[in-house]
Amino acid sequence: MNKFLTVGDIGDLNAALKEAQEVKKNPFGWQHLGKNKTMLIVFFNSSLRTRLSTQKAAMNLGMNVIVLNVNGDSWKLETEMGVVMDGDKTEHLREAIPVMGSYCDIIGVRSFARFENRDWDYNETILQQFIQYSGKPVISLESATRHPCQAFADLITIEEYKTKKRPKVVLTWAPHPKALPQAVPNSFAEWMKAADVDFVFTAPEGYDLAPDIMEGLTPERDQMKAFKDADFIYAKNWSSYEQYGQILGDCHDPKWASWTVDMAHMDVTNNAKFMHCLPVRRNMIVTDEVIDSPNSIVIPEAANRVVSAQVVIKRMLEAIQK
């Protein structure tokens, strides 16, 4: 494995889940792979779980870890090609990336959507430059359009908590005061479509995801109908894809506020587990009563971020040694 961006990069899901179980049982069993190896983690955006889980995963594998916060620790970086650099950007990614690559063995990159140009975001302009110019394996730690480590952790969590072979898993839009990227729902939908689950997508009109993500899915506009007999509820906000990066209404308007996941929603499920990638806006995405309930598994879900990252890094280290 030399890159990890989508579900297609992980290969057979059953094999990946089995490997995740082994890593979770014996997290320090492969430290020989990372001895004298360095992982560089580059953040263009802030993070809590992604930084800590990736750093912990690399350390579990015996690696040295360097963390670079681009907006605080380095020169301001230009990302566009062909520009006259007469502004506030001191260094271009074209030089910075191969320099970074010379200092490490694996690179993890976090770079959110900018919402300035949909094509620019969906072409993964920054992440693709790291793949092209670093000369090293690259892990997406959330890009403009995907968050594969999160989705892999979500699948690991569902596998651990499911009570039937093929559970019903619902991805539901929920209100939020700010415009958020589609990366998490894109990846979650992508991974659930590939997994052995009964996957249901529910969102208001105007909040469908990109066409390739929606392929094979029939959006359910009736949220309560979607929740009926569900085993897992995954709540997340995202902005519009068609009206790119836009919020289509006031989150306090009853039209949108009714999508907040509360106990009335959960009562129609099959005693469903509640999931969210965190951080979460309480009493906006989900009520206190739901997220603090025994059926909330957001903390074990977050803990599995170490496991998902470790499986990916382990596979990259194994590929390096071949």
Side-chain angles (χ1 to χ4, degrees):
M1 182 187 289
N2 63 2
K3 63 182 176 65
F4 183 63
L5 286 72
T6 71
V7 67
D9 295 323
I10 201 70
D12 181 82
L13 282 183
N14 288 329
L17 288 169
K18 182 178 179 181
E19 191 169 349
Q21 290 176 344
E22 293 170 353
V23 163
K24 192 165 186 175
K25 289 177 183 176
N26 185 22
F28 306 113
W30 293 271
Q31 290 197 338
H32 61 283
L33 293 174
K35 184 178 180 180
N36 299 326
K37 297 287 192 304
T38 299
M39 182 164 188
L40 171 64
I41 310 175
V42 182
F43 289 96
F44 288 84
N45 305 93
S46 58
S47 174
L48 190 153
R49 276 150 297 279
T50 297
R51 172 172 177 167
L52 296 179
S53 62
T54 307
Q55 198 165 354
K56 173 65 173 170
M59 292 167 63
N60 284 353
L61 290 163
M63 299 189 77
N64 302 310
V65 182
I66 302 172
V67 178
L68 176 66
N69 295 299
V70 169
N71 294 324
D73 298 338
S74 71
W75 300 111
K76 294 189 75 172
L77 297 176
E78 178 59 65
T79 61
E80 302 288 346
M81 291 295 186
V83 298
V84 176
M85 290 178 59
D86 58 357
D88 64 342
K89 307 290 178 60
T90 307
E91 185 165 7
H92 201 288
L93 274 183
R94 183 63 184 86
E95 291 78 56
I97 290 172
V99 168
M100 294 180 201
S102 72
Y103 299 150
C104 67
D105 300 280
I106 296 174
I107 300 179
V109 182
R110 183 179 181 93
S111 178
F112 289 173
R114 294 180 174 179
F115 290 146
E116 297 170 1
N117 181 305
R118 188 171 73 184
D119 288 342
W120 196 93
D121 285 342
Y122 269 73
N123 285 332
E124 295 289 8
T125 306
I126 291 179
L127 189 61
Q128 289 299 332
Q129 289 186 66
F130 275 89
I131 293 170
Q132 185 175 358
Y133 301 128
S134 70
K136 297 295 164 66
V138 174
I139 301 174
S140 168
L141 301 179
E142 189 171 1
S143 65
T145 71
R146 300 290 193 282
H147 198 349
C149 287
Q150 178 65 56
F152 186 16
D154 297 334
L155 181 58
I156 293 167
T157 307
I158 290 170
E159 186 70 14
E160 289 176 339
Y161 281 88
K162 71 181 184 181
T163 57
K164 63 177 70 166
K165 179 174 173 55
R166 196 167 191 270
K168 179 178 178 180
V169 179
V170 178
L171 171 62
T172 181
W173 182 91
H176 195 283
K178 295 174 62 179
L180 297 185
Q182 294 114 30
V184 169
N186 280 348
S187 275
F188 187 77
E190 197 172 53
W191 284 67
M192 291 304 108
K193 285 166 61 177
D196 187 17
V197 302
D198 175 15
F199 179 55
V200 176
F201 174 92
T202 184
E205 198 79 44
Y207 282 107
D208 287 354
L209 299 170
D212 62 319
I213 301 295
M214 296 304 299
E215 186 176 352
L217 297 177
T218 302
E220 176 56 69
R221 304 302 180 200
D222 185 334
Q223 190 187 28
M224 294 296 280
K225 183 178 178 181
F227 276 42
K228 180 68 174 170
D229 297 327
D231 300 294
F232 294 90
I233 299 297
Y234 197 105
K236 186 70 179 76
N237 175 267
W238 58 89
S239 57
S240 175
Y241 174 83
E242 287 299 330
Q243 299 181 51
Y244 189 59
Q246 299 300 307
I247 297 174
L248 304 183
D250 183 350
C251 62
H252 297 290
D253 185 322
K255 174 183 177 180
W256 310 108
S258 66
W259 284 75
T260 297
V261 178
D262 59 16
M263 288 306 298
H265 287 84
M266 298 300 288
D267 283 345
V268 305
T269 71
N270 182 31
N271 199 33
K273 301 298 186 184
F274 176 80
M275 302 178 70
H276 188 279
C277 61
L278 302 181
V280 66
R281 299 269 185 146
R282 283 172 173 255
N283 302 305
M284 181 65 61
I285 298 288
V286 58
T287 63
D288 290 336
E289 190 177 13
V290 172
I291 197 168
D292 291 331
S293 75
N295 278 24
S296 172
I297 54 173
V298 296
I299 303 305
E301 179 185 1
N304 277 332
R305 288 293 308 278
V306 177
V307 182
S308 64
Q310 191 165 336
V311 171
V312 173
I313 299 168
K314 172 178 171 288
R315 289 187 174 191
M316 288 185 168
L317 288 170
E318 288 169 342
I320 289 170
Q321 292 199 353
K322 287 183 180 178

